[in-house]
Amino acid sequence: MLRIHFTAQDLEYVRIARSPDPLWEIVCSVCRLQTDEGRLAFGPWRRAVVPLLRGGGWGGERDGGRERDGGGERDGGGERTGGGGVDRAVAVALRSLMPCGPYIPDFLTPAVDGGIADLRQGVDRVLSTPRSRLRREFTLLAESGARAFAGAGPGSRAGARARLRPFAAERLARGDTEALRALGGLLTAYDAKFVAPYRPWIDAAVASDVAWRSRELAGGGTRALLETFRPMARWSPPVLEVTYPVDRDLHLAGRGLLLVPSYFCWRKPITLFDGDLLPVLVYPVEKPVQLPAASGASLARLLGPTRAALLHEVAARGCATTSELALAVDCSLPNTCQQLAILREAGLAACRKEGRCVLHHPTPLGRQLLEQSGAGSSERPLPVPRPATVSPW
């Protein structure tokens, strides 16, 4: 259990990052490659990146039910890297620095007020980490290697394999310039192959999560915002009790809290190890799943001014209730429900139940249709849509 202690000043300074942090997405996705957790949510992504990991050396992971353990050379961490190419070598090197275990160095995810939206900015901050901090955190990483991870679930392989020797650990701990540049190259290369191709789905999930929680914040204040994190967290004033693999207290002491939505975070929110750093809470958002292809007949049913207006309103608002949409397009509530159902059947809109309300969101297909038709070029920019989702808990 993680207990986050708020003061009155902290409650006035709770922020939500507007976009996913690229470094947290890298760290969390590397962890997702080390476990079987979230098969429905991450299955399509794992299947897509499996070809990048082939050739052995990924800790004997299963590929389609078969154990994979090929030959090849070993990298600086003692892990086999031959036969699978540069992409797998990059992933293996980062895995040695980001074990799905009790400790991941904080310097890999530098805390910045408002969050980091640009990978280059994040990498530059990683490379500028003071040497004293590098030494301290690599010492902690080495010490954590013998500890079991309480957060590894029954589907996790994290505790079943030997810990890899961290990539260039001694040189990085000394602040060696070449080693740090190599680390920056690893982060950039991994993002390009394992994260960037799926960014539209990542951004869609995060944008709609932020739209929903911002709506709650605007309507009910900080308390309503913190209540949205049930069941993974419970607001018991003045403490936010968070499901966590270890027992810990974090006192904000007037620094506030930055909430960072993450696509690759799974089940439990996470935070930095060092409580003296800027307080952040990285939490999982609902995951988009592959949308069914809309048939020609379904798309034909969409032709008409009412459905077109509804689709535009859903995309423009980010999330809206049925009543709000009915009022916006001047349509009766029953007819609005019917037209929205048709949009959902065609894969152009999705919805979620929040209390007594149903919130409607656009899907990537709906946004694409609007953009291609020119309907998305109005003065009010269209937000990134919300696809069909899998709950993070």
Side-chain angles (χ1 to χ4, degrees):
M1 175 73 70
L2 169 65
R3 292 170 293 275
I4 303 178
H5 300 261
F6 288 75
T7 65
Q9 185 177 353
D10 294 315
L11 290 172
E12 297 176 358
Y13 198 42
V14 176
R15 297 93 68 211
I16 308 176
R18 305 299 299 180
S19 59
D21 185 306
L23 291 174
W24 275 111
E25 294 307 296
I26 290 174
V27 168
C28 291
S29 65
V30 170
C31 289
R32 297 293 75 76
L33 289 174
Q34 299 174 57
T35 75
D36 290 326
E37 296 173 322
R39 293 188 180 187
L40 178 60
F42 301 112
W45 173 74
R46 286 190 180 114
R47 288 190 293 272
V49 300
V50 156
L52 303 177
L53 301 173
R54 285 201 171 113
W58 186 250
E61 290 192 24
R62 292 185 180 273
D63 179 11
R66 299 186 301 274
E67 290 288 340
R68 293 188 287 106
D69 188 14
E73 300 176 356
R74 294 179 180 269
D75 71 351
E79 181 72 5
R80 296 182 185 275
T81 58
V86 175
D87 297 329
R88 183 174 52 77
V90 167
V92 168
L94 289 182
R95 194 190 86 190
S96 70
L97 296 172
M98 306 169 183
C100 190
Y103 179 75
I104 295 176
D106 288 335
F107 84 93
L108 294 170
T109 52
V112 177
D113 202 0
I116 293 177
D118 179 74
L119 178 62
R120 179 177 296 181
Q121 174 195 6
V123 170
D124 287 344
R125 286 184 172 272
V126 170
L127 303 190
S128 62
T129 305
R131 292 184 180 181
S132 58
R133 180 177 170 184
L134 289 171
R135 287 194 298 270
R136 181 173 66 254
E137 295 193 6
F138 272 98
T139 298
L140 290 171
L141 180 62
E143 292 174 350
S144 72
R147 299 203 300 268
F149 180 37
S156 174
R157 296 185 296 268
R161 65 165 69 97
R163 170 66 62 85
L164 299 177
R165 181 163 60 89
F167 169 81
E170 295 181 359
R171 296 172 60 195
L172 286 173
R174 296 197 306 267
D176 181 85
T177 302
E178 290 186 4
L180 286 169
R181 287 177 181 170
L183 173 59
L186 290 174
L187 294 169
T188 302
Y190 180 91
D191 177 83
K193 289 300 184 71
F194 291 82
V195 179
Y198 314 96
R199 204 170 303 283
W201 295 102
I202 296 170
D203 290 344
V206 169
S208 50
D209 179 274
V210 171
W212 164 48
R213 297 190 199 275
S214 297
R215 178 190 178 94
E216 296 298 311
L217 175 62
T222 303
R223 176 170 182 168
L225 170 63
L226 297 178
E227 289 289 350
T228 66
F229 290 98
R230 288 179 176 269
M232 55 184 167
R234 184 171 70 93
W235 176 236
S236 180
V239 178
L240 183 65
E241 300 173 343
V242 183
T243 302
Y244 212 65
V246 296
D247 193 63
R248 180 183 172 190
D249 287 273
L250 175 60
H251 294 268
L252 300 181
R255 295 173 295 169
L257 180 65
L258 176 63
L259 301 167
V260 181
S262 171
Y263 178 89
F264 286 105
C265 183
W266 179 242
R267 294 285 185 184
K268 302 178 180 68
I270 51 180
T271 189
L272 296 171
F273 181 84
D274 189 346
D276 291 331
L277 298 174
L278 179 73
V280 301
L281 186 68
V282 181
Y283 66 89
V285 301
E286 291 186 348
K287 319 301 182 200
V289 296
Q290 187 174 1
L291 294 171
S295 66
S298 296
L299 290 176
R301 295 176 64 192
L302 290 172
L303 299 177
T306 302
R307 285 187 289 273
L310 282 171
L311 180 58
H312 185 276
E313 282 296 326
V314 169
R317 293 168 180 261
C319 64
T321 65
T322 308
S323 299
E324 290 170 341
L325 293 172
L327 182 62
V329 301
D330 193 21
C331 183
S332 68
L333 195 58
N335 191 35
T336 299
C337 293
Q338 181 182 0
Q339 305 307 323
L340 288 170
I342 295 174
L343 290 174
R344 291 195 300 272
E345 290 172 5
L348 300 178
C351 68
R352 63 178 293 161
K353 188 77 182 304
E354 292 298 334
R356 293 181 294 177
C357 297
V358 176
L359 293 178
H360 302 273
H361 313 270
T363 65
L365 180 60
R367 179 180 174 84
Q368 183 180 9
L369 181 63
L370 286 173
E371 291 176 345
Q372 290 179 348
S373 66
S377 58
S378 60
E379 293 183 358
R380 179 170 53 172
L382 297 180
V384 178
R386 183 185 198 89
T389 56
V390 174
S391 174
W393 49 78

